[in-house]
Amino acid sequence: MSHLTVAALQLAFSEDEVANIALVEEHVAKAAARGAKIILPPELFEGLYFCTVEDEALFARARPLTEHPAVLAMQKLAKTQGVYIPTSFFERDGQHHYNSLAMIDDQGEIMGVYRKSHIPDGPGYEEKYYFRPGNTGFKVWETKYGTIGVGICWDQWYPETARAMALMGAEVLLYPTAIGSEPYDGDLNTSRMWRRAMQGHAVSNCMPVIAANRIGREQMAGATGEQSFYGHSFIADEWGDLVAEAEDWQTGALIATLDLDRARKHRAGMGFFRDRRPELYGRLAQDV
């Protein structure tokens, strides 16, 4: 199928897990009514972004895949609406904890799980305290509408992530995100470079990119300050041009229809994959 209608949800969340899941359900249903077939919510949408503090009590938020309320709700909704929902969640697997994504198909079945590969550790984003580096490797999934690859937030800064998924057959790249202010530098706004990095992935792999970020001011108990999430979610085509975008104050769904046959034609014509020289890239797999 040549044309794929996708949606990226940009929403603000609270500490009320039930209300957050209901909010996502509402906007997934609205996006589905507008024709979206793959609908991307933001990262860890079941609550506030808790990684601004290190608190061992917060590990209780993690649940196994088959018990997580966000995953269970999105499975039911995906089947009802007949849509695919890449669902970010805080996963507990035995004694291990991951920042994970369940790929849910349009029948409500879990196609597989991806665990975030790149884990940040800095002021406001202290994820290494909570999450082990993912052990799944990068993932792509064949849907009825094309093959999609999904990275999670910090993964989106790495061209290796996008290229690996493209080489695995991805035709569209999706990134659920929670990103905003930088507590160590109040004058630093990364929103423009954040977009540019992913638009670059679109260009260099000649395929569309979808990014869904949260918005709003959040403050966890015990945090010294609040975190302000800047939104600016977007959908870019295979040239990196923005075909749908949100400002930092907007909530709701961005929706666009992508022409995957056109992108495939351009991807072949540009020759990026034809002209690769893997024998020269060994340095990329070495530690700095």
Side-chain angles (χ1 to χ4, degrees), residues 70-89:
V71 175
L72 295 173
M74 293 305 113
Q75 284 186 267
K76 182 178 179 180
L77 184 62
K79 183 176 182 179
T80 300
Q81 298 292 335
V83 297
Y84 292 77
I85 310 175
T87 300
S88 170
F89 70 106

Side-chain angles (χ1 to χ4, degrees), residues 187-215:
D187 294 326
L188 177 60
N189 183 339
T190 63
S191 63
R192 296 185 306 281
M193 64 183 82
W194 172 75
R195 276 190 176 184
R196 288 173 188 149
M198 286 179 283
Q199 287 175 265
H201 302 332
V203 173
S204 59
N205 293 287
C206 211
M207 64 183 58
V209 170
I210 298 95
N213 193 16
R214 60 174 68 204
I215 62 168

Side-chain angles (χ1 to χ4, degrees), residues 139-272:
K139 293 277 192 175
V140 301
W141 288 280
E142 293 184 14
T143 76
K144 292 177 180 177
Y145 311 102
T147 302
I148 66 171
V150 186
I152 302 174
C153 200
W154 194 233
D155 289 332
Q156 67 209 351
W157 293 92
Y158 293 84
E160 296 89 347
T161 302
R163 179 52 56 88
M165 291 191 290
L167 290 170
M168 294 167 69
E171 299 173 278
V172 181
L173 304 177
L174 299 95
Y175 295 99
T177 298
I179 190 170
S181 55
E182 301 291 343
Y184 72 93
D185 185 349
D187 294 326
L188 177 60
N189 183 339
T190 63
S191 63
R192 296 185 306 281
M193 64 183 82
W194 172 75
R195 276 190 176 184
R196 288 173 188 149
M198 286 179 283
Q199 287 175 265
H201 302 332
V203 173
S204 59
N205 293 287
C206 211
M207 64 183 58
V209 170
I210 298 95
N213 193 16
R214 60 174 68 204
I215 62 168
R217 295 181 180 276
E218 300 181 8
Q219 185 167 10
M220 291 293 300
T224 56
E226 64 181 13
Q227 185 73 304
S228 179
F229 294 93
Y230 53 58
H232 288 295
S233 303
F234 68 90
I235 300 171
D237 67 12
E238 69 272 17
W239 295 136
D241 292 325
L242 299 179
V243 295
E245 56 183 312
E247 299 297 334
D248 59 2
W249 51 269
Q250 292 176 302
T251 61
L254 296 174
I255 296 180
T257 298
L258 306 169
D259 189 335
L260 300 189
D261 281 351
R262 185 189 69 186
R264 188 178 301 112
K265 178 184 70 174
H266 290 158
R267 196 157 53 245
M270 291 299 292
F272 295 146

